[in-house]
Structures are given as structure tokens and as C-alpha cells.
Amino acid sequence: MLDSAAIDVRAVQRRTIRVLLGTQIIFAVVMAMASPVTALLVQDFTHSPTLAGLAQAATIAGGVLAAVPLAELTVRRGRRVGVTSGYLVAGIGAATVVIGGVVETFLLVLLGTTLVGAAVAAGLQARFAATDLAEPDQRGRAIGIVVWASTFGGVAGPLLAGPSDSLARAIGLPEFTGPFLVIGLGLALSATAAHLWLRPDPLLLSRSLADSANHPIKTSKLRPTLRILARTPEARRAVIAVAVVHAVMVSGMNMASLHLHHGGESLEVVGAAISVHLAGMFLLSPLFGWLVDRFGARGILGLGLALLMLACGILQTTHGNSVTGIMVGLVVLGLGWSAGFVAGSALLTGSVEESARPHAQGVSDLLMQLAAAAAAFPAGAVLDAWGYPWLARLIAIPVLLVAIHLAVSARRIRPANNQN
């Protein structure tokens, strides 16, 4: 049992945020290389675009598969063990990808990329670790600061792919395996930092402060947690909103890249479009976190949904492959995701009792990633059949439905319950 009386909780929270910032920056930088390099590696020795796409999808699947087990481990052992374990498993996966590339065995690469997905689950969990010791009126800022660290991934990550690949070839490794060496080393570094410095464990300390000895934390599985979320209206709304916000962002971003590429734009233009989108996603997340704390999570979630609707409106006008229109739309799409993601995460944290939070957070991340994966398949078909403007119109529908539900439900909640 932690001696909570002898601990300066504010100092621990500041230390926790610093450690999470460091681990998230490293995580974001190295993981930015994973998806594009995976496709290139598999394509190189299988000559199959289908298998290359399958290997890319395996990382998403790995994140989905790891979400609930990591939440369960977190409940039992704390945030430090949960985050560290996710990064270590992913580091092993990166090493497996390198071995699979050396022996040119697709199944090994597939296994490795699936394990790498555990880092995605751990990285998502890190934003919730920032809230364990935060005051209720500072949770938004805590989440926003950790999300902001991912900015570095979009900027620095792709720049490391070329040099790391050149280094790997210099020591006799196959082309495209070098980035996975860097990914493995970076994740090992993040795991080590979390293991050494994420202490006292924020979740365990939070429990100690709440006198959890008198209220034991019970382990739970997926179905009981889903029942808890279903019985808690505000938590249910938060989970649905985060899932929709993430799925719409992923569909709009990924298909914009294909739309530009099919329209004959260069890779430089495509890269620039994605870069401005990533800037919209991450750069202002601390601001949105502050707004959540100042005006309430529900209000900023509504702002995020409104920005997503505006983005869809801009993108649906991009007939004739308007690069400027697409870039503006992608920036607004990123801003909408940022506001909705930060606010939805804070709303979920504030609406579930402490003993159920880690499970609820893990299930939310699971559903969020499943929603994004499920949206990716029809998005491609819509793009091929009707074009990108129609995709923008269709993905606006779930955003509008969530916004209407949020507005209607607000009338049934007393103003005091709107603050999180």
C-alpha cells in the first residue's frame, strides 16, 4: 500500500505528465514509420499489393486485440505495467518484422505487425494515465498535452525512414527493414522510461487516495464493462461520440490521399496534405483541453462535431480535385477530431466511477478502433463508385446524428452535470 500521506500529489502529477510526454514523443516518432514501411517491405518480397495491405491492417488489428487485455493488466498492476507491457510487446513485434524481412516470410511479418499494434493500444492508454491524478477541472488539459506530443510523429517520423533504411542496408539487412529496427529500439526506450520513471504509479496512487482498501477494485471482462457503459448515459454518449469522431477522421483522411493520388497529384502534394491534417489534429489539442476544463466536455464535444460537419461541407465541394479545398477541409477535419477526441475522452473519464475507469477506457479504445476499421472498407468502395465528394456527404451523417443526440440529451441533464 502506498503511503499517500507522505506524497505530494501535484508533484507526482507534474512528473507523470513529463514522463508521458517523453514516452509519447518517442512512440509517435517511431510509429509514424510503421504503416507505409510495412507496405513497402511486404510488396518488395511478395510482389502482392493485397498482402501488403493485409500487413498494414494487421497493426490496426493488433491495437484492437491488445486494448482490453492491456486494460485488464492495468486494473491489476497499474498504469506503469500496462503501458510498459504494451510497448515491450510491440518492440518484440518490430524485431519479428525484421526477421521476417530477412528470411522473406510473410507470416512472420504479419505476426510482427500485429504485435506492433500493441503500441497503439499503449499509446492510447497513456492519455488516460494523465488523468488519474488530475483534478476534475484539469483533466482536459492533461489529455490535450499528451495528445499534443503526437505532433512530433507527423513531422519527424517520416524523416527517419530513409536514414534508418540506409543504415540497415549498410550492415547487410534487406531494404525496408531498417525502420523497424528503429521502431523496436524506440519502443524499448519508451518502455524503459515508463518502467523507471512512471512511479509512483498514478492509478495506484489515485486508488490509495480514494481509500480503495475499503472499496476493492474488481477485475472485469468485456461484457460487464459494456453493460456498465450501457447503463451510464453520459459514458455511453462519450464512447459513441469518440468512435464516430475517429472513424470519420480516418475515412476522410485516408480517402483524401487516394483521391489526390488518383487525380494525378504528386507524392509531395499528398504528403503536404497529410502534414497539414496532422497539424490540425495535434497542434491545438492543449487548447482544446483547456477549453474542456473551462467550458465543460459536452460543449467542446459539440464544437468538435460542428467542426467535423464543416469539414465535410468543405470536402464535399472539392469537385475537380481541388488541392486547396482538400487541404483546408483536412485541416478543419483534424481540428474537429482534436476537439472531439479530447472532449470525449474527458467526458468518459468524468462519467464513470474510478473503479471502472480503466476497463471503460480500454473498451472505448477498442470500439473506437473497430469503428475506424469498419468505416475503412465501405469508404474505399464509395470513393471508387461515386467519388470523394459523396464520401464526404455520407460520413457527415453519423456526425449529424451524434450531434442531434447530444443536443437533445442536454435538455435532460441539469447544468451542474455538464461540467467534467
Side-chain angles (χ1 to χ4, degrees), residues 5-383:
I7 294 176
D8 184 343
V9 177
R10 291 185 178 180
V12 174
Q13 173 65 357
R14 290 193 295 269
R15 177 187 177 91
T16 297
I17 294 295
R18 287 196 298 268
V19 173
L20 291 174
L21 269 175
T23 58
Q24 285 297 98
I25 288 173
I26 298 170
F27 155 79
V29 167
V30 298
M31 287 298 292
M33 297 186 287
S35 181
V37 175
T38 296
L40 293 172
L41 173 62
V42 174
Q43 172 75 34
D44 188 56
F45 71 83
T46 67
H47 307 292
S48 170
T50 300
L51 293 181
L54 180 60
Q56 280 184 309
T59 301
I60 300 174
V64 171
L65 293 172
V68 172
L70 280 184
E72 183 70 22
L73 183 61
T74 297
V75 169
R76 293 176 180 271
R77 303 290 299 279
R79 296 287 188 189
R80 182 171 64 92
V81 173
V83 172
T84 299
S85 299
Y87 287 149
L88 284 179
V89 168
I92 294 171
T96 304
V97 172
V98 174
I99 295 171
V102 170
V103 300
E104 296 189 349
T105 302
F106 173 71
L107 289 179
L108 271 179
V109 174
L110 188 66
L111 172 63
T113 52
T114 302
L115 294 176
V116 167
V120 177
L124 288 171
Q125 190 182 109
R127 80 187 190 278
F128 289 122
T131 69
D132 290 328
L133 294 173
E135 296 292 334
D137 62 351
Q138 295 180 359
R139 288 176 183 150
R141 274 168 282 190
I143 293 172
I145 289 171
V146 174
V147 172
W148 171 81
S150 296
T151 305
F152 294 89
V155 175
L159 300 178
L160 289 178
S164 61
D165 194 48
S166 299
L167 177 62
R169 291 200 305 271
I171 61 177
L173 290 175
E175 190 175 15
F176 305 125
T177 58
F180 280 96
L181 282 178
V182 175
I183 291 171
L185 290 173
L187 293 175
L189 182 59
S190 286
T192 301
H195 178 73
L196 291 177
W197 297 320
L198 199 60
R199 51 175 93 210
D201 186 285
L203 179 61
L204 298 183
L205 178 56
S206 176
R207 287 180 187 171
S208 179
L209 294 170
D211 194 19
S212 295
N214 296 327
H215 304 281
I217 304 297
K218 297 180 180 179
T219 58
S220 177
K221 300 299 181 183
L222 178 59
R223 288 183 182 178
T225 304
L226 287 172
R227 285 196 291 269
I228 291 173
L229 293 174
R231 292 196 303 263
T232 311
E234 203 74 321
R236 183 175 67 246
R237 295 183 193 106
V239 170
I240 293 172
V242 169
V244 168
V245 165
H246 192 64
V248 167
M249 182 278 294
V250 170
S251 297
M253 175 188 68
N254 288 345
M255 294 305 107
S257 300
L258 290 177
H259 178 52
L260 288 169
H261 181 66
H262 292 165
E265 299 297 338
S266 67
L267 289 177
E268 287 77 11
V269 171
V270 175
I274 298 304
S275 292
V276 297
H277 171 70
L278 291 173
M281 286 178 64
F282 300 124
L283 275 177
L284 296 185
S285 56
L287 172 61
F288 289 124
W290 178 84
L291 291 173
V292 166
D293 295 334
R294 179 67 177 82
F295 299 105
R298 271 180 147 264
I300 305 310
L301 179 56
L303 172 63
L305 295 170
L307 287 170
L308 288 176
M309 288 294 297
L310 176 61
C312 291
I314 295 171
L315 293 172
Q316 66 91 27
T317 65
T318 56
H319 298 280
N321 200 33
S322 169
V323 174
T324 301
I326 290 175
M327 284 190 172
V328 172
L330 288 178
V331 171
V332 179
L333 187 72
L335 292 172
W337 176 89
S338 184
F341 185 72
V342 171
S345 299
L347 184 63
L348 173 63
T349 300
S351 58
V352 178
E353 63 181 25
E354 187 173 2
S355 61
R357 277 178 196 161
H359 286 121
Q361 291 160 350
V363 170
S364 177
D365 287 343
L366 166 69
L367 296 176
M368 178 186 75
Q369 294 180 82
L370 283 175
F377 294 106
V382 170
L383 180 69

